[in-house]
Amino acid sequence: MIQIRFQNFLDIFTPIIFSYIILSLGCKSFQFFNTEILIGIVLIISILHFFILFDKNLEKGYRSMIFLSFFILALSLIFFMILFFYYKKITSDIKISILISLILYVLIRVTYFMRIVYVKIHNPVFIFITSFVLLSFLGSILLMLPASTVKKISFIDALFTSTSAVCVTGLVVLDTAKDFTYLGKIFILILIELGGLGILTITSCFSYFFRDGFSFKEAIFVSNFLNTKTTNNVLSLAVKVVMFTLTVEFIGTLLIYFSIKEKNTIESDNILFFSIFHSISAFCNSGFSTLSEGLYSQSVRFNYLFQLIIAFLLILGGIGFNILFNFFTYIWLTIKKYFFKIFKNKDFRCPAHIVTLNTKIVILTTFFLLFFGTIFYYISEYHYSLSEHTSFYGKWVASFFSSATSRTAGFHVLNMNLLTPVTIFVTILLMWIGASPASTGGGIKTSTFALALMNIISLSRGNNRLEIQRKEISSESIRLSFSIIMLSMMVIYISILIIIFMDPKKDILPISFEVFSAFSTAGLSLGITSHLSIGSKLVLIFLMLLGRIGVFNVMIALLRKNKIGFHHYYRFPKGNILIN
């Protein structure tokens, strides 16, 4: 009975803690936000968790959540004691560590609640959509707090910035460097990370620690979140995605730090935070920067090593986790094969068909888009925006960077105002194609574009089915690819019409560029974003959400019924329609 009361008290206490954190960060004159009170809160809820763990009737999942929460809180208290005995006083580091532990505690509680919700609701796509919408609104509230901004900002600008971060787009209506405080930039960074990975991927990762017999239905839902066809080891896959992301971002941070440390020309007092921010922003394909002019800033515009690091980070983030894991498995087995052959004089038999057809299509399409995009930028902009890069090496790096960022992220190292019309149109095409499936990027996806293109070639040759490398592509995949292309063009066309109606003084080319950028979550702009009307900004917000979630996912959530379709058991006579 006592444990049940403790649980009820804890359930009530959690939203109070969250409100306390928001209030303390939102009100600069809040008297009760100090380290002593934070330590007291952590100590009280740690004791409550300790007593609840003695209840033998606890559900396994709830017990796992309580244990993980207690571990996080106890770890922060131990860290506090070490720092206190070392410094002999309470420092700002102690306050930050305690505050982070409370935020992690709230996140763990929310994660457990999310698991209960998506088990009870039978539409995983609807939950996927709702998670991005709610995260965007929550982010806008956090960015409007007085502690987050240098001056007061409007709700529309806060919502636009939050949605752009959550949808990893990079379109901005405010100067991230000047209009947001250090805390505001941290909030933007958190939104980028949550949006890039997907809140439900992180939820699934935490669910790995709440393992109490994951049901088959839950496994189906999680596989939908991770865009995988199999339900085997979906929780392990979620953990792999999160751990791989953190590892790549950590390595990226180190590489960026050492690439800019020697020159030390960054317009930032904290080079480490600059490195962390841009590593996460690049891998998540968000395009946000703590520099006022982005990567076109004088401090990094000619730092070609830095540009190559950013380019490879956003290529890794945009190629898709499933593709990366499959490709790395092939590389590992190949190394293992030659190791056995050279050092042990044994034959190591690799499993057949390690590299899937999907991996081959995505990697080849990505390579050709990068290759031809680089050559195009070099030729098209040689006498224009590339003229300020005097060296042969610099021109090629800037061209390669522009080719990579056009499809996925909003970074730019070329003067967007000097781009030729033909370059703008090709950039629009690259943005529209976008990144690969199950990645942090947007667009119609490389596999969709490749499949549609190969199907057109196949039909032109008189074939009645699409075959690639002795495999027949399902008609469902072909129909889906053309449906995504048609839906994207319809949404983009309607959005351009609405913005032209709301901002009639703006030219159609910048408007079209802006719409394609928002829908493809590319983040590039010709400089009109902040000058658009409120109605046009709302259209772009809707487009960013639609592009990140997937226009077809929205259609499924709205139109698909959760009933067994009777169309599987009968077929109508075929009706031929004249085409061409």
Side-chain angles (χ1 to χ4, degrees):
M1 182 65 70
I2 296 176
Q3 280 82 3
I4 293 175
R5 291 177 181 175
F6 282 153
Q7 292 178 37
N8 295 335
F9 181 75
L10 208 57
D11 293 337
I12 298 172
F13 201 48
T14 300
I16 294 175
I17 294 173
F18 181 73
S19 302
Y20 169 76
I21 294 172
I22 295 296
L23 182 62
S24 58
L25 294 175
C27 184
K28 295 181 180 178
S29 59
F30 190 64
Q31 310 176 32
F32 304 103
F33 186 62
N34 52 52
T35 310
E36 290 79 4
I37 293 179
L38 287 172
I39 294 170
I41 292 173
V42 172
L43 189 61
I44 290 171
I45 57 179
S46 298
I47 293 171
L48 290 174
H49 280 75
F50 180 75
F51 281 111
I52 291 173
L53 283 172
F54 283 101
D55 187 4
K56 296 181 179 179
N57 298 321
L58 282 179
E59 179 202 356
K60 291 181 181 180
Y62 190 82
R63 180 184 293 277
S64 301
M65 184 270 293
I66 291 293
F67 179 79
L68 184 60
S69 302
F70 177 73
F71 176 77
I72 294 292
L73 297 170
L75 201 63
S76 67
L77 289 174
I78 293 171
F79 185 68
F80 154 70
M81 293 174 64
I82 293 172
L83 289 179
F84 183 76
F85 281 112
Y86 181 77
Y87 291 108
K88 303 297 181 182
K89 63 178 181 179
I90 296 176
T91 62
S92 59
D93 292 335
I94 294 174
K95 184 176 181 179
I96 292 172
S97 65
I98 296 294
L99 184 61
I100 290 173
S101 69
L102 281 175
I103 293 173
L104 285 174
Y105 165 73
V106 173
L107 180 61
I108 291 169
R109 298 282 298 189
V110 170
T111 298
Y112 180 77
F113 173 75
M114 285 291 294
R115 182 191 174 189
I116 296 174
V117 170
Y118 72 63
V119 167
K120 291 186 176 180
I121 296 179
H122 301 285
N123 193 335
V125 178
F126 176 77
I127 301 172
F128 180 72
I129 295 170
T130 306
S131 67
F132 277 96
V133 174
L134 292 179
L135 191 59
S136 297
F137 275 99
L138 177 61
S140 63
I141 294 171
L142 293 175
L143 293 179
M144 287 185 69
L145 295 174
S148 301
T149 56
V150 176
K151 58 183 179 181
K152 189 177 180 181
I153 62 175
S154 66
F155 173 73
I156 292 297
D157 287 345
L159 181 62
F160 192 98
T161 305
S162 174
T163 306
S164 184
V166 170
C167 298
V168 289
T169 305
L171 287 175
V172 292
V173 290
L174 298 169
D175 190 332
T176 309
K178 296 179 180 178
D179 293 332
F180 292 98
T181 62
Y182 183 70
L183 180 66
K185 293 170 187 173
I186 290 176
F187 282 147
I188 290 174
L189 193 62
I190 293 171
L191 291 173
I192 290 170
E193 188 74 286
L194 292 177
L197 285 174
I199 186 64
L200 295 174
T201 303
I202 299 173
T203 300
S204 303
C205 178
F206 274 114
S207 295
Y208 186 80
F209 299 98
F210 306 151
R211 300 181 75 172
D212 57 333
F214 218 58
S215 69
F216 180 70
K217 184 173 71 173
E218 291 175 278
I220 293 175
F221 287 175
V222 176
S223 65
N224 273 275
F225 304 150
L226 297 175
N227 199 16
T228 178
K229 298 297 182 183
T230 178
T231 57
N232 294 329
N233 302 320
V234 286
L235 290 184
S236 301
L237 178 59
V239 174
K240 283 171 64 178
V241 167
V242 173
M243 294 306 297
F244 177 79
T245 300
L246 295 177
T247 303
V248 172
E249 289 170 350
F250 175 73
I251 296 171
T253 298
L254 293 178
L255 293 174
I256 292 172
Y257 181 83
F258 289 113
S259 70
I260 63 176
K261 186 180 179 183
E262 294 181 1
K263 297 187 177 183
N264 199 21
T265 56
I266 300 300
E267 305 161 10
S268 175
D269 297 330
N270 193 334
I271 298 179
L272 180 61
F273 179 73
F274 174 89
S275 304
I276 294 171
F277 190 99
H278 285 80
S279 177
I280 294 175
S281 182
F283 183 78
C284 292
N285 286 231
S286 75
F288 274 85
S289 175
T290 56
L291 302 175
S292 294
E293 295 182 89
L295 300 193
Y296 186 69
S297 174
Q298 189 71 26
S299 56
V300 294
R301 193 189 308 173
F302 304 106
N303 189 338
Y304 301 118
L305 176 60
F306 170 74
Q307 292 176 22
L308 285 174
I309 294 168
I310 294 292
F312 282 111
L313 280 172
L314 56 91
I315 289 170
L316 277 176
I319 208 167
F321 294 108
N322 293 328
I323 307 299
L324 285 173
F325 294 153
N326 184 237
F327 188 67
F328 287 152
T329 301
Y330 169 75
I331 293 175
W332 166 247
L333 290 176
T334 304
I335 294 172
K336 195 173 181 180
K337 176 183 177 181
Y338 284 104
F339 176 83
F340 271 78
K341 189 174 183 179
I342 295 170
F343 294 100
K344 295 189 176 182
N345 198 22
K346 294 181 180 178
D347 289 330
F348 177 78
R349 293 185 179 180
C350 295
H353 309 296
I354 302 170
V355 181
T356 63
L357 180 61
N358 184 44
T359 300
K360 293 177 182 178
I361 291 174
V362 167
I363 289 180
L364 285 174
T365 307
T366 302
F367 173 78
F368 280 115
L369 288 172
L370 284 171
F371 179 75
F372 289 110
T374 302
I375 294 175
F376 171 80
Y377 274 101
Y378 184 82
I379 296 173
S380 177
E381 294 298 315
Y382 188 89
H383 296 293
Y384 298 96
S385 59
L386 281 174
S387 58
E388 60 183 341
H389 299 270
T390 55
S391 66
F392 176 79
Y393 171 73
K395 289 182 186 293
W396 277 110
V397 171
S399 300
F400 173 73
F401 185 91
S402 300
S403 177
T405 193
S406 295
R407 292 189 304 105
T408 53
F411 296 116
H412 64 94
V413 293
L414 301 179
N415 190 341
M416 299 295 292
N417 296 321
L418 296 179
L419 295 182
T420 61
V422 65
T423 303
I424 292 174
F425 274 102
V426 172
T427 303
I428 286 175
L429 174 64
L430 292 174
M431 289 193 299
W432 179 62
I433 295 171
S436 302
S439 70
T440 58
I444 62 169
K445 304 297 190 257
T446 52
S447 56
T448 302
F449 175 76
L451 208 60
L453 189 61
M454 286 187 287
N455 187 53
I456 292 172
I457 295 171
S458 178
L459 288 173
S460 301
R461 291 176 175 175
N463 300 326
N464 58 0
R465 57 180 181 267
L466 178 60
E467 297 173 342
I468 304 173
Q469 291 191 341
R470 297 183 179 180
K471 288 188 178 180
E472 183 180 340
I473 307 301
S474 66
S475 59
E476 181 185 358
S477 298
I478 297 170
R479 291 201 310 269
L480 183 60
S481 64
F482 278 102
S483 298
I484 290 172
I485 289 172
M486 281 301 300
L487 281 170
S488 69
M489 296 308 299
M490 289 168 60
V491 170
I492 288 169
Y493 181 76
I494 293 171
S495 300
I496 292 173
L497 282 179
I498 294 172
I499 294 179
I500 288 174
F501 177 77
M502 291 183 173
D503 289 277
K505 294 183 179 180
K506 303 293 182 185
D507 293 334
I508 188 170
L509 184 59
I511 290 175
S512 301
F513 193 92
E514 205 81 10
V515 168
F516 272 94
S517 181
F519 179 80
S520 303
T521 68
L524 293 175
S525 174
L526 295 180
I528 67 168
T529 315
S530 57
H531 304 293
L532 293 172
S533 63
I534 292 176
S536 297
K537 288 179 183 178
L538 287 172
V539 172
L540 293 182
I541 288 171
F542 176 74
L543 280 173
M544 287 188 288
L545 283 168
L546 204 59
R548 181 68 182 100
I549 294 166
V551 63
F552 209 79
N553 283 332
V554 175
M555 297 292 289
I556 290 172
L558 293 175
L559 301 179
R560 179 175 289 181
K561 298 179 180 180
N562 298 308
K563 296 179 181 179
I564 298 174
F566 291 103
H567 59 274
H568 293 293
Y569 303 104
Y570 67 89
R571 299 183 73 169
F572 288 113
K574 290 184 178 180
N576 295 317
I577 298 175
L578 183 63
I579 294 184
N580 193 15

